[in-house]
Amino acid sequence: MLIDAYFDIIHADFPVLLEASFRESYEVWSASTSTANPVWLCSLLCVPILARRVAPVQVPEEAEQKWWRYVQKLLPTVFFSSNLSAIQALMLVALHLHNTSHRDACWNITGTAVRIAYAIGLHRDDVKYVQSPLSRELRKQLWWTLYAFEQIQVSSYDRPTAIEHDVSSVGCPNERIVGGAGHSQDFTKWSQRLVLLLGSACKALNRAGSGNTAEDVYDRPLSPAAAVLRDLNRWKDDL
């Protein structure tokens, strides 16, 4: 029931895991007596931790605390892994920290996920012939989820972004392939454009912090903030 609640409610706003492959791995793990991959196990434990507050079943707080202590023991292994699974695990950990108002820890974990993403080329949209179409689309989806999550922190914590390159070079994931989380085919495209506008707004406000007056920042038609507002109006009209 906790896994169902996670994919029904949380996954729609935070698409990090692929439901089909996660459930397959879960069934294999539950029927096996061998030790699970620590990185995947970290993601597995985060699923009930995140779902506990939205699931129709009552789960004692003591159970969540037990799972979270186990996650903390697994984190050193996750930090030394450079793959998609490590990014997924760190993002789920960071989301829990965000939900429980641990801002500094959330910021640090998200930054680590960004570094690993750069290390494995998640920020690049080059066609990799050794990857399946599903793998390529999942990489795009994970990158945009990470970018959006980092920008939410940038805008709310008032801290600099760790993603400096032109993120628009990464294509939009094909929702027919990755599942779409119950959304229409164009949902990700419009969401991607909106989060890019959020990134532009954060950069505009960051540039404005160099001693400019409020009139320079907002009122002048050629100011960076005014340009973002025009782009936002165009986004809304096109939508």
Side-chain angles (χ1 to χ4, degrees), residues 29 39 56 67 71 93 95 100 102-103 121 124 141 143 152 161 166 184 208 212 224 230-231:
W29 169 78
V39 179
W67 297 333
V71 167
V93 169
L95 181 60
T100 53
H102 291 84
R103 288 191 167 192
R124 300 177 59 185
Q141 183 183 67
W143 170 255
I152 289 173
T161 179
D166 184 11
S184 65
N212 296 330
R230 287 194 295 270
D231 291 339

mmCIF file of all heavy atoms in Angstrom, residues 29 39 56 67 71 93 95 100 102-103 121 124 141 143 152 161 166 184 208 212 224 230-231:
data_model
loop_
_atom_site.group_PDB
_atom_site.id
_atom_site.type_symbol
_atom_site.label_atom_id
_atom_site.label_comp_id
_atom_site.label_asym_id
_atom_site.label_seq_id
_atom_site.Cartn_x
_atom_site.Cartn_y
_atom_site.Cartn_z
ATOM 1 N N TRP A 29 13.754 -8.779 -4.958
ATOM 2 C CA TRP A 29 14.388 -8.619 -3.646
ATOM 3 C C TRP A 29 13.594 -9.323 -2.547
ATOM 4 O O TRP A 29 14.158 -9.990 -1.679
ATOM 5 C CB TRP A 29 14.511 -7.129 -3.324
ATOM 6 C CG TRP A 29 14.898 -6.858 -1.901
ATOM 7 C CD1 TRP A 29 16.130 -6.942 -1.338
ATOM 8 C CD2 TRP A 29 14.009 -6.473 -0.836
ATOM 9 N NE1 TRP A 29 16.083 -6.631 0.001
ATOM 10 C CE2 TRP A 29 14.789 -6.336 0.332
ATOM 11 C CE3 TRP A 29 12.634 -6.237 -0.773
ATOM 12 C CZ2 TRP A 29 14.234 -5.971 1.552
ATOM 13 C CZ3 TRP A 29 12.092 -5.862 0.441
ATOM 14 C CH2 TRP A 29 12.885 -5.743 1.588
ATOM 15 N N VAL A 39 22.632 0.838 -2.729
ATOM 16 C CA VAL A 39 22.098 2.055 -3.341
ATOM 17 C C VAL A 39 20.618 1.887 -3.637
ATOM 18 O O VAL A 39 19.796 2.759 -3.335
ATOM 19 C CB VAL A 39 22.884 2.404 -4.622
ATOM 20 C CG1 VAL A 39 22.305 3.655 -5.274
ATOM 21 C CG2 VAL A 39 24.362 2.600 -4.304
ATOM 22 N N PRO A 56 -3.155 5.566 2.795
ATOM 23 C CA PRO A 56 -4.370 5.332 3.576
ATOM 24 C C PRO A 56 -4.151 4.422 4.777
ATOM 25 O O PRO A 56 -5.054 4.256 5.583
ATOM 26 C CB PRO A 56 -5.308 4.680 2.556
ATOM 27 C CG PRO A 56 -4.399 4.014 1.571
ATOM 28 C CD PRO A 56 -3.194 4.894 1.479
ATOM 29 N N TRP A 67 13.510 3.207 9.625
ATOM 30 C CA TRP A 67 13.905 3.223 8.211
ATOM 31 C C TRP A 67 14.911 4.328 7.948
ATOM 32 O O TRP A 67 15.870 4.141 7.205
ATOM 33 C CB TRP A 67 12.667 3.408 7.325
ATOM 34 C CG TRP A 67 11.671 2.298 7.426
ATOM 35 C CD1 TRP A 67 11.912 1.002 7.765
ATOM 36 C CD2 TRP A 67 10.257 2.393 7.212
ATOM 37 N NE1 TRP A 67 10.749 0.281 7.777
ATOM 38 C CE2 TRP A 67 9.719 1.106 7.438
ATOM 39 C CE3 TRP A 67 9.405 3.436 6.858
ATOM 40 C CZ2 TRP A 67 8.355 0.846 7.295
ATOM 41 C CZ3 TRP A 67 8.046 3.170 6.718
ATOM 42 C CH2 TRP A 67 7.523 1.889 6.939
ATOM 43 N N VAL A 71 18.665 4.333 6.335
ATOM 44 C CA VAL A 71 19.060 5.147 5.178
ATOM 45 C C VAL A 71 20.362 5.883 5.466
ATOM 46 O O VAL A 71 21.270 5.939 4.621
ATOM 47 C CB VAL A 71 17.943 6.152 4.812
ATOM 48 C CG1 VAL A 71 18.460 7.208 3.837
ATOM 49 C CG2 VAL A 71 16.751 5.431 4.205
ATOM 50 N N VAL A 93 16.196 11.010 -0.827
ATOM 51 C CA VAL A 93 16.647 11.426 0.504
ATOM 52 C C VAL A 93 16.470 12.932 0.673
ATOM 53 O O VAL A 93 15.973 13.412 1.705
ATOM 54 C CB VAL A 93 18.121 11.026 0.713
ATOM 55 C CG1 VAL A 93 18.679 11.681 1.981
ATOM 56 C CG2 VAL A 93 18.263 9.515 0.805
ATOM 57 N N LEU A 95 14.405 14.890 -0.871
ATOM 58 C CA LEU A 95 12.985 15.248 -0.795
ATOM 59 C C LEU A 95 12.454 15.058 0.620
ATOM 60 O O LEU A 95 11.692 15.894 1.123
ATOM 61 C CB LEU A 95 12.175 14.412 -1.778
ATOM 62 C CG LEU A 95 10.669 14.697 -1.826
ATOM 63 C CD1 LEU A 95 10.402 16.146 -2.229
ATOM 64 C CD2 LEU A 95 9.963 13.740 -2.786
ATOM 65 N N THR A 100 10.822 17.712 5.703
ATOM 66 C CA THR A 100 10.949 17.801 7.161
ATOM 67 C C THR A 100 11.736 19.037 7.590
ATOM 68 O O THR A 100 12.207 19.109 8.735
ATOM 69 C CB THR A 100 11.627 16.528 7.714
ATOM 70 O OG1 THR A 100 12.867 16.302 7.018
ATOM 71 C CG2 THR A 100 10.722 15.322 7.532
ATOM 72 N N HIS A 102 14.676 20.292 6.840
ATOM 73 C CA HIS A 102 16.126 20.248 7.058
ATOM 74 C C HIS A 102 16.792 20.869 5.824
ATOM 75 O O HIS A 102 17.307 20.178 4.945
ATOM 76 C CB HIS A 102 16.601 18.817 7.275
ATOM 77 C CG HIS A 102 16.138 18.227 8.567
ATOM 78 N ND1 HIS A 102 14.895 17.630 8.722
ATOM 79 C CD2 HIS A 102 16.738 18.154 9.790
ATOM 80 C CE1 HIS A 102 14.757 17.207 9.965
ATOM 81 N NE2 HIS A 102 15.859 17.520 10.636
ATOM 82 N N ARG A 103 16.780 22.192 5.761
ATOM 83 C CA ARG A 103 17.179 22.901 4.545
ATOM 84 C C ARG A 103 18.646 22.688 4.186
ATOM 85 O O ARG A 103 18.972 22.423 3.031
ATOM 86 C CB ARG A 103 16.891 24.392 4.703
ATOM 87 C CG ARG A 103 15.425 24.747 4.653
ATOM 88 C CD ARG A 103 15.248 26.249 4.552
ATOM 89 N NE ARG A 103 13.878 26.604 4.192
ATOM 90 C CZ ARG A 103 13.508 27.824 3.822
ATOM 91 N NH1 ARG A 103 14.418 28.793 3.764
ATOM 92 N NH2 ARG A 103 12.259 28.085 3.506
ATOM 93 N N GLY A 121 27.463 12.484 -17.108
ATOM 94 C CA GLY A 121 26.984 13.096 -18.334
ATOM 95 C C GLY A 121 25.478 13.213 -18.449
ATOM 96 O O GLY A 121 24.950 13.272 -19.564
ATOM 97 N N ARG A 124 24.105 16.079 -20.575
ATOM 98 C CA ARG A 124 24.357 16.090 -22.006
ATOM 99 C C ARG A 124 23.288 15.284 -22.733
ATOM 100 O O ARG A 124 22.866 14.222 -22.268
ATOM 101 C CB ARG A 124 25.738 15.523 -22.309
ATOM 102 C CG ARG A 124 26.876 16.288 -21.655
ATOM 103 C CD ARG A 124 28.209 15.646 -21.938
ATOM 104 N NE ARG A 124 28.472 15.564 -23.383
ATOM 105 C CZ ARG A 124 29.538 14.944 -23.901
ATOM 106 N NH1 ARG A 124 30.412 14.362 -23.092
ATOM 107 N NH2 ARG A 124 29.713 14.917 -25.202
ATOM 108 N N GLN A 141 14.354 12.546 -18.100
ATOM 109 C CA GLN A 141 13.362 12.793 -17.051
ATOM 110 C C GLN A 141 14.040 13.049 -15.710
ATOM 111 O O GLN A 141 13.649 13.970 -14.964
ATOM 112 C CB GLN A 141 12.410 11.601 -16.939
ATOM 113 C CG GLN A 141 11.306 11.802 -15.914
ATOM 114 C CD GLN A 141 10.435 10.571 -15.781
ATOM 115 O OE1 GLN A 141 10.875 9.532 -15.315
ATOM 116 N NE2 GLN A 141 9.187 10.679 -16.207
ATOM 117 N N TRP A 143 17.083 14.161 -15.193
ATOM 118 C CA TRP A 143 17.784 15.445 -15.219
ATOM 119 C C TRP A 143 16.827 16.601 -14.979
ATOM 120 O O TRP A 143 17.114 17.492 -14.187
ATOM 121 C CB TRP A 143 18.502 15.629 -16.553
ATOM 122 C CG TRP A 143 19.033 17.014 -16.722
ATOM 123 C CD1 TRP A 143 18.524 18.009 -17.521
ATOM 124 C CD2 TRP A 143 20.153 17.591 -16.051
ATOM 125 N NE1 TRP A 143 19.260 19.164 -17.384
ATOM 126 C CE2 TRP A 143 20.270 18.935 -16.489
ATOM 127 C CE3 TRP A 143 21.066 17.101 -15.123
ATOM 128 C CZ2 TRP A 143 21.270 19.790 -16.028
ATOM 129 C CZ3 TRP A 143 22.073 17.961 -14.657
ATOM 130 C CH2 TRP A 143 22.157 19.285 -15.113
ATOM 131 N N ILE A 152 13.873 25.057 -7.249
ATOM 132 C CA ILE A 152 12.937 25.361 -6.164
ATOM 133 C C ILE A 152 13.714 25.756 -4.908
ATOM 134 O O ILE A 152 13.348 26.700 -4.196
ATOM 135 C CB ILE A 152 12.022 24.156 -5.889
ATOM 136 C CG1 ILE A 152 11.018 23.978 -7.039
ATOM 137 C CG2 ILE A 152 11.282 24.318 -4.568
ATOM 138 C CD1 ILE A 152 10.192 22.721 -6.934
ATOM 139 N N THR A 161 22.795 28.677 -7.712
ATOM 140 C CA THR A 161 22.574 27.389 -8.348
ATOM 141 C C THR A 161 23.894 26.681 -8.612
ATOM 142 O O THR A 161 24.928 27.321 -8.831
ATOM 143 C CB THR A 161 21.806 27.561 -9.664
ATOM 144 O OG1 THR A 161 21.630 26.272 -10.284
ATOM 145 C CG2 THR A 161 22.543 28.471 -10.625
ATOM 146 N N ASP A 166 23.794 25.615 -20.102
ATOM 147 C CA ASP A 166 22.516 25.809 -20.786
ATOM 148 C C ASP A 166 21.691 24.528 -20.695
ATOM 149 O O ASP A 166 21.843 23.614 -21.509
ATOM 150 C CB ASP A 166 22.754 26.190 -22.249
ATOM 151 C CG ASP A 166 21.447 26.497 -22.976
ATOM 152 O OD1 ASP A 166 20.404 26.615 -22.298
ATOM 153 O OD2 ASP A 166 21.473 26.604 -24.215
ATOM 154 N N SER A 184 -0.982 14.358 -19.538
ATOM 155 C CA SER A 184 -1.111 14.393 -20.988
ATOM 156 C C SER A 184 0.276 14.418 -21.612
ATOM 157 O O SER A 184 1.278 14.701 -20.953
ATOM 158 C CB SER A 184 -1.897 15.630 -21.418
ATOM 159 O OG SER A 184 -1.177 16.802 -21.084
ATOM 160 N N ALA A 208 20.563 41.204 -10.075
ATOM 161 C CA ALA A 208 20.039 42.458 -9.526
ATOM 162 C C ALA A 208 20.620 42.790 -8.163
ATOM 163 O O ALA A 208 20.502 43.905 -7.682
ATOM 164 C CB ALA A 208 18.520 42.384 -9.410
ATOM 165 N N ASN A 212 21.868 47.563 -7.683
ATOM 166 C CA ASN A 212 20.904 48.258 -8.528
ATOM 167 C C ASN A 212 19.674 48.639 -7.718
ATOM 168 O O ASN A 212 19.314 47.984 -6.743
ATOM 169 C CB ASN A 212 20.497 47.378 -9.706
ATOM 170 C CG ASN A 212 21.663 47.083 -10.625
ATOM 171 O OD1 ASN A 212 22.575 47.890 -10.746
ATOM 172 N ND2 ASN A 212 21.641 45.919 -11.250
ATOM 173 N N PRO A 224 16.533 42.540 -16.904
ATOM 174 C CA PRO A 224 16.390 41.074 -16.954
ATOM 175 C C PRO A 224 15.056 40.579 -16.397
ATOM 176 O O PRO A 224 14.441 39.662 -16.956
ATOM 177 C CB PRO A 224 17.561 40.577 -16.096
ATOM 178 C CG PRO A 224 18.564 41.683 -16.161
ATOM 179 C CD PRO A 224 17.761 42.949 -16.221
ATOM 180 N N ARG A 230 7.968 39.053 -19.576
ATOM 181 C CA ARG A 230 7.451 38.948 -20.939
ATOM 182 C C ARG A 230 7.438 37.486 -21.411
ATOM 183 O O ARG A 230 6.475 37.035 -22.032
ATOM 184 C CB ARG A 230 8.292 39.807 -21.886
ATOM 185 C CG ARG A 230 8.061 41.309 -21.737
ATOM 186 C CD ARG A 230 8.649 42.075 -22.907
ATOM 187 N NE ARG A 230 10.104 41.945 -22.948
ATOM 188 C CZ ARG A 230 10.937 42.773 -22.331
ATOM 189 N NH1 ARG A 230 10.460 43.795 -21.627
ATOM 190 N NH2 ARG A 230 12.249 42.609 -22.434
ATOM 191 N N ASP A 231 8.505 36.762 -21.086
ATOM 192 C CA ASP A 231 8.554 35.342 -21.456
ATOM 193 C C ASP A 231 7.465 34.551 -20.739
ATOM 194 O O ASP A 231 6.868 33.632 -21.316
ATOM 195 C CB ASP A 231 9.925 34.759 -21.118
ATOM 196 C CG ASP A 231 11.027 35.309 -22.017
ATOM 197 O OD1 ASP A 231 10.688 35.800 -23.113
ATOM 198 O OD2 ASP A 231 12.205 35.239 -21.619
#
